Amino acid sequence: IAKTVPAKDRFKYQRVYPDGELYAPITGFYSYDRASSALESTYNSQLSGTDDALFVRRLIDLATNKTPKGASVQTTIVPKIQQAAATALGNQKGAVIALDPKTGAVLAMVTSPSFDPNDIASHDVEAAGKAYDRLAANPQQPLSNRAAREIYPPGSTFKLVTAAAALADGKTPDSVVDSPDRLRLPGTRVDLPNSTNCGGTKITLTQALKVSCNTAFANLGLDLGEDKLREQAQLFGFDRRHLADLRGVASQFPDELNDAQLALSAIGQFDVAASPLQMAMVSAAIANDGELMDPFVVSRVQAPDLKPIQTTKPAVLSTAMTPGNAQELQQMMSVVVSQGTGSN
């Protein structure tokens, strides 16, 4: 996804990106006067061969009059999945991220609009600088990694977190929840409406998730209280940074909520903010019977002689749910897709 080729100019070698836009959120760019970003930045010393781990290799190259070589970085991205994600997203503004639930490996990470790192890596330094300035000034923010470095209101996807907290609090998929057509937010004159027909004013937790019933989940949040909801969110990875290789940002669950704010937070509104990566982590932890794996995008770093310098081993971040509760939530999620609001 990035390589160096000989160049007939003062720099002698040119950084190129064969599928520039497709992998730009992962590779970032290497530039002579605009620094670097993403993996190009994080692994610059290994890629350039100046890292301490390559010291002996540099001495050998020096002694044998060979051109020093840098290490290679192998990502976890699966090209077919990456391409499928890009094709599905098309020209829509947004991001797609896919994780292996059992390991935390990032299988695909696509953002749109993207950019071509080749323009910034050009040896025509003036042209490269102008290309960077154009991209930085673009209101569509093509340089942004929307998957890991931007946070947004998660909306109804956050209902998975609220459902998990309800199951941890002793409720079952068949527990009945109040689901009025409109819910007066406590301490206000504002009503929270439903965007779908919830199927009655008292429905099961499974039905509430199946039809994404706002008032049911708002009532669940009020019943649980902010501490239990925040604790569950944090077990899923909220309020912590992930994917340090790409300088991922922390998703947020707000502090010191009044009841109206709590009701809105339970449906992913108010000041709840999450990256697409974070919401993929929520789903992955549920799929992995409650175990949340630490996401990673680099599987290994290899010296020029192919000896491994660094290998990433899957690591458990937390037990977000008990296996039994996770399996119940898996079934509830299946119903959302087969019968509810998650159908094609």
Side-chain angles (χ1 to χ4, degrees):
I1 61 176
K3 62 181 180 178
T4 301
V5 297
K8 294 179 180 179
D9 59 24
R10 61 191 172 114
F11 294 111
K12 297 185 179 179
Y13 294 96
Q14 170 72 60
R15 196 64 157 156
V16 295
Y17 304 88
D19 289 297
E21 291 195 14
L22 181 61
Y23 292 101
I26 299 142
T27 61
F29 59 81
Y30 179 86
S31 167
Y32 282 95
D33 68 343
R34 298 305 171 109
S36 55
S37 66
L39 295 187
E40 287 279 30
S41 173
T42 308
Y43 290 91
N44 182 58
S45 63
Q46 292 97 322
L47 290 165
S48 64
T50 60
D51 192 76
D52 288 346
L54 295 166
F55 177 70
V56 174
R57 181 75 254 170
R58 287 203 307 277
L59 287 180
I60 295 171
D61 289 339
L62 190 64
T64 57
N65 202 28
K66 286 184 178 179
T67 302
K69 289 184 178 181
S72 59
V73 172
Q74 183 174 330
T75 76
T76 58
I77 301 297
V78 178
K80 285 185 178 180
I81 304 179
Q82 183 80 354
Q83 186 60 63
T87 301
L89 187 57
N91 292 323
Q92 300 174 95
K93 186 193 289 187
V96 178
I97 184 161
L99 300 175
D100 181 336
K102 294 189 180 302
T103 66
V106 179
L107 306 178
M109 179 183 288
V110 172
T111 73
S112 175
S114 186
F115 70 99
D116 188 350
N118 290 296
D119 296 337
I120 306 175
S122 169
H123 285 180
D124 184 336
V125 175
E126 184 178 353
K130 288 180 179 178
Y132 176 86
D133 290 341
R134 278 196 307 273
L135 290 165
N138 187 329
Q140 299 296 308
Q141 297 182 302
L143 292 174
S144 295
N145 182 333
R146 290 175 158 83
R149 288 184 43 78
E150 303 285 339
I151 55 176
Y152 309 96
S156 290
T157 59
F158 190 82
K159 289 170 182 171
L160 294 174
V161 179
T162 306
L167 292 172
D169 198 47
K171 289 184 170 53
T172 71
D174 295 325
S175 292
V176 174
V177 187
D178 287 334
S179 52
D181 290 337
R182 307 178 77 83
L183 175 67
R184 176 62 55 93
L185 294 175
T188 75
R189 296 181 180 179
V190 178
D191 287 342
L192 173 68
N194 289 315
S195 55
T196 59
N197 178 0
C198 292
T201 56
K202 288 184 181 292
I203 58 175
T204 64
L205 189 54
T206 296
Q207 173 69 12
L209 191 67
K210 172 184 163 184
V211 298
S212 192
C213 183
N214 287 340
T215 59
F217 277 94
N219 274 323
L220 273 175
L222 291 169
D223 180 52
L224 289 164
E226 67 171 291
D227 290 344
K228 290 179 181 178
L229 202 52
R230 183 180 298 106
E231 180 183 2
Q232 183 65 69
Q234 290 173 344
L235 285 172
F236 278 122
F238 275 75
D239 298 326
R240 280 189 288 175
R241 291 175 178 268
H242 306 287
L243 280 188
D245 291 353
L246 300 178
R247 295 186 174 89
V249 299
S251 298
Q252 300 167 359
F253 188 86
D255 294 323
E256 299 179 8
L257 301 171
N258 63 36
D259 283 349
Q261 295 164 346
L262 173 58
L264 291 173
S265 296
I267 60 170
Q269 296 183 15
F270 183 54
D271 285 344
V272 179
S275 64
L277 167 65
Q278 174 60 75
M279 297 318 298
M281 290 169 64
V282 171
S283 295
I286 297 166
N288 196 37
D289 288 347
E291 277 205 331
L292 175 64
M293 305 303 291
D294 194 5
F296 64 100
V297 72
V298 170
S299 56
R300 70 178 60 184
V301 180
Q302 290 179 322
D305 59 4
L306 301 184
K307 287 181 180 177
I309 298 172
Q310 173 186 326
T311 302
T312 305
K313 294 181 179 179
V316 178
L317 266 185
S318 70
T319 300
M321 303 180 70
T322 66
N325 284 349
Q327 288 159 16
E328 287 184 334
L329 191 47
Q330 291 167 22
Q331 292 302 312
M332 291 165 64
M333 291 171 72
S334 295
V335 172
V336 177
V337 174
S338 62
Q339 303 173 33
T341 54
S343 59
N344 286 337

